[in-house]
């Protein structure tokens, strides 16, 4: 069951957005095959899957940017969506400051903009040209633009893409904090379960169809997840998990200094194998 | 101002028409540059000749024929971008040169229609009438008004189309409106710089304005001013040395672009 923080906007039982039976074909092949997904108020759902699995495509269908051949999409009436696209490709000839970029989503009161810049930690960048920003700064500016819409639902497409591990951790912490403060739902795409794991309520693993879904610690040991991401990803996790045993140092660099970072949340992690082998994580 | 011979009437008309077009072309051209649509503009302007003969055949004003054919080509391109068999530059190339050749061939067939082909290809600003000047200013005012009205949504989809769509911008309508005002601009600019050179009047001043601008609006205005400066220089050269006016204006714009690049290199950082 999704975790619903108290005080989330709207009716608790209605999803912010959901789809059922979404199918999209490209050249006869179903790139999305009977996919259903829902995000509840205040819930953080991570959509993971390998490259080319159809993650961004599913986001585009949910956002109404692409029409699915089959399936049904429903969102709560008046739902405000803040969208953070995967990439921003600005032409070098377009002079645009951060402030101006943020105003393109609609008129913004100066006070509100200052507040969001502060919230995202980029107050100092307001007058900088967009093209002078680093990858991490650009991601934060995109995130700020999504927040300026006062969203009920944040849709983030690979927000940590192209960042180093430190940058990824910082951005994920910011996203987690934002959810707590604003009590908005979040649907986030990632190709890496580890990046999103700590903050996520529910993981949906997609490879054209939905392979498995559930709590991150269930999904990571789901046979279909292991099959999809390979033994290496699974081995990775095993190494993480047994870090505190000081026994199974399968992968030296992983077990090393940075290895434990971000995984302190997994209480009782030593027992995962025994617990979860039986029931898998297919709770639909 | 240009020479000691005094301002002849035709020169005043030429100056007014060309200055008017440069003033529209700057802001519009900035968007053409930002949206990487230079080749698109070329394709539309190359099809203008076909619009001319079509207008003649149908007995309507050439401007109507040109706008009509540009609109059709723009729609074909918009639809063509949805297919994935041909890359869009291939499609643009086919339409661009196909339409230009078709226009030339159809002109050759029309024995009753005597046209100054070089004038249409390269522009003949010294032959503009007061009626042409009126069309430039009335049409230009409409184009600028529409562009100002479209400004924010157009800028938003230029920066990120999907993001703009999610934020509620009617992307397709804005795109089509933008294509249409380019088509109208081409129709009214044809007489001044000719179908082969219209795109250069859109993109060169905008490119020259880039290094001088800190905001999109600044760049649009500076591009207009650079274009007007190019018109003054080009027409002066044209008058002085009896140069073809269209190429002289474009050459002047090119020189201004080189100066802007040089200025950027030499400027202390």
């Amino acid at each position: 069951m999704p975790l619903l923080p108290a005080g989330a906007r709207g009716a608790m039982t209605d999803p912010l957005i959901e789809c059922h039976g979404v199918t999209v074909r490209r050249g006869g092949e179903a790139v999305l095959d009977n996919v259903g997904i829902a995000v509840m108020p205040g819930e953080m759902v991570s959509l993971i899957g390998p490259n080319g699995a159809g993650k961004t495509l599913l986001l585009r269908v949910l956002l109404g940017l692409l029409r699915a051949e089959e399936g049904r999409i429903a969102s709560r009436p008046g739902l405000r969506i803040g969208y953070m696209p995967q990439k921003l490709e600005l032409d070098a000839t377009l002079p645009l400051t951060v402030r101006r970029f943020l105003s393109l989503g609609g008129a913004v009161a100066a006070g509100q903009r200052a507040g969001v810049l502060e919230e995202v930690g980029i107050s100092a960048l307001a007058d900088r040209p967009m093209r002078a920003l680093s990858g991490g700064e650009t991601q934060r500016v995109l995130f700020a633009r999504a927040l300026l819409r006062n969203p009920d639902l944040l849709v983030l497409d690979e927000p940590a893409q192209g960042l180093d591990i430190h940058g990824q951790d910082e951005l994920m912490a910011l996203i987690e904090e934002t959810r707590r403060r604003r009590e908005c739902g979040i649907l986030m795409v990632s190709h890496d379960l580890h990046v999103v794991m700590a903050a996520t309520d529910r993981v949906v693993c997609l490879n054209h169809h939905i392979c498995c879904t559930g709590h991150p610690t269930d999904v990571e040991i789901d046979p279909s997840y292991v099959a999809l991401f390979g033994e290496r990803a699974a081995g990775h996790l095993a190494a993480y998990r047994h870090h505190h045993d000081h026994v199974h140092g399968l992968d030296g660099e992983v077990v090393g200094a940075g290895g434990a970072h971000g995984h302190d949340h997994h209480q009782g992690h030593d027992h995962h194998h025994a617990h979860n082998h039986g029931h898998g994580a297919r709770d639909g | 101002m240009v020479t000691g011979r005094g301002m002849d009437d035709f020169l005043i008309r030429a100056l007014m028409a060309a200055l008017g077009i440069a003033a529209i072309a700057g802001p519009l051209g900035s968007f053409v540059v930002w949206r990487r649509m230079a080749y698109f503009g070329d394709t539309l302007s190359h099809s203008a000749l076909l619009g001319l003969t079509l207008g003649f055949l149908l007995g309507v004003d050439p401007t109507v024929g040109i706008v009509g054919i540009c609109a059709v080509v723009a729609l074909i391109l918009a639809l063509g971008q949805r297919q994935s068999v041909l890359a869009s530059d291939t499609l643009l190339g086919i339409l661009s040169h196909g339409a230009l050749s078709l226009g030339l061939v159809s002109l050759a067939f029309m024995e009753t229609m005597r046209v100054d082909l070089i004038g249409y290809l390269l522009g003949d600003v010294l032959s503009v009438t007061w009626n042409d000047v009126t069309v430039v200013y009335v049409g230009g005012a409409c184009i600028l008004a529409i562009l100002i009205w479209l400004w924010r949504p157009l800028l938003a989809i230029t920066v990120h189309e999907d993001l703009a769509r999610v934020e509620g911008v009617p992307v397709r309508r804005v795109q089509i409106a933008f294509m249409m005002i380019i088509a109208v601009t081409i129709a009214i600019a044809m007489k001044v710089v000719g179908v082969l050179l219209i795109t250069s009047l859109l993109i060169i001043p905008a490119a020259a304005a880039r290094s001088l601008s800190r905001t999109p609006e600044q760049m649009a205005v500076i591009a207009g001013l650079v274009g007007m400066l190019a018109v003054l220089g080009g027409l002066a050269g044209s008058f002085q040395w009896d140069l073809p006016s269209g190429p002289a204006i474009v050459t002047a714009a090119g020189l201004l672009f080189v100066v802007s690049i040089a200025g950027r290199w030499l400027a202390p950082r």
Side-chain angles (χ1 to χ4, degrees), chain A:
Chain A
M1 274 303 285
L3 209 88
L4 296 178
R9 296 184 203 129
M12 286 311 204
T13 46
D14 292 341
L16 295 171
I17 197 166
E18 62 181 325
C19 68
H20 298 283
V22 166
T23 298
V24 174
R25 292 189 186 85
R26 288 281 151 83
E29 294 277 306
V31 279
L32 287 180
D33 185 7
N34 194 24
V35 172
I37 190 171
V39 184
M40 304 300 287
E43 186 188 25
M44 171 127 159
V45 177
S46 291
L47 186 61
I48 62 162
N51 288 332
K55 304 183 296 287
T56 296
L57 204 64
L58 180 57
L59 279 200
R60 290 174 59 82
V61 169
L62 283 167
L63 290 170
L65 297 170
L66 182 86
R67 200 181 301 264
E69 275 102 17
E70 290 163 39
R72 195 167 59 78
I73 294 116
S75 57
R76 216 171 62 179
L79 179 74
R80 288 191 304 273
I81 296 180
Y83 170 49
M84 179 173 167
Q86 195 176 110
K87 265 192 299 235
L88 186 66
E89 283 173 0
L90 280 180
D91 194 275
T93 56
L94 178 59
L96 202 67
T97 61
V98 169
R99 191 192 304 276
R100 193 66 211 283
F101 174 81
L102 292 177
S103 76
L104 287 177
V108 178
Q112 195 203 354
R113 183 174 50 223
V116 167
L117 287 175
E118 174 103 39
E119 185 178 349
V120 175
I122 51 170
S123 298
L125 302 182
D127 293 312
R128 289 263 290 276
M130 285 296 289
R131 286 183 52 85
L133 302 181
S134 72
E137 289 166 342
T138 305
Q139 297 301 89
R140 278 169 190 257
V141 171
L142 284 170
F143 191 57
R145 177 148 164 197
L147 289 184
L148 278 173
R149 296 178 61 76
N150 268 327
D152 309 304
L153 173 67
L154 276 169
V155 176
L156 314 174
D157 194 352
E158 298 267 12
Q161 195 189 40
L163 304 183
D164 59 24
I165 292 184
H166 180 64
Q168 285 181 354
D169 286 345
E170 278 191 347
L171 190 67
M172 290 311 302
L174 174 66
I175 291 169
E176 204 177 352
E177 195 187 315
T178 302
R179 174 174 69 140
R180 208 175 303 125
R181 195 183 313 119
R182 293 179 170 247
E183 298 171 343
C184 55
I186 297 182
L187 176 60
M188 177 164 61
V189 159
S190 175
H191 62 271
D192 189 347
L193 178 61
H194 309 144
V195 173
V196 299
M197 195 148 184
T200 299
D201 299 320
R202 196 156 52 88
V203 171
V204 176
C205 182
L206 182 79
N207 188 27
H208 305 303
H209 64 280
I210 291 192
C211 302
C212 54
T213 171
H215 192 268
T217 49
D218 294 332
V219 165
E220 68 177 332
I221 51 144
D222 189 283
S224 64
Y225 170 80
V226 176
L228 198 55
F229 286 89
E231 290 297 331
R232 199 178 162 273
H236 236 72
L237 288 170
Y240 274 118
R241 199 174 292 125
H242 296 283
H243 177 62
H244 298 295
D245 298 351
H246 303 280
V247 179
H248 299 281
L250 294 179
D251 186 343
E253 52 184 321
V254 170
V255 177
H261 190 96
H263 289 266
D264 307 352
H265 309 263
H266 301 262
Q267 280 123 20
H269 50 264
D270 289 332
H271 308 288
H272 270 148
H273 282 302
H275 265 312
N276 291 316
H277 253 315
H279 62 71
R282 247 175 226 278
D283 61 302

Side-chain angles (χ1 to χ4, degrees), chain B residues 44-57 62 65-66 69-70 73 95 98-107 110 190 195:
Chain B
L44 283 198
S45 54
H46 285 178
S47 64
L49 214 52
L50 187 58
L52 195 73
T53 54
L54 224 63
F56 184 77
L57 275 176
I66 295 167
I69 206 81
C70 286
V73 170
L95 274 171
L100 181 61
S101 303
L102 205 57
L104 290 168
V105 167
S106 62
L107 264 181
M110 312 248 291
M190 188 167 160
V195 297

Side-chain angles (χ1 to χ4, degrees), chain B residues 8 51 53 71 84 91 94 99 118 129 141 147 156 168 190 198 229 269:
Chain B
D8 291 323
T53 54
S84 49
L91 186 70
I94 292 170
I118 293 294
T129 63
L147 189 62
M190 188 167 160
I198 289 171
L229 207 57
R269 277 157 203 264

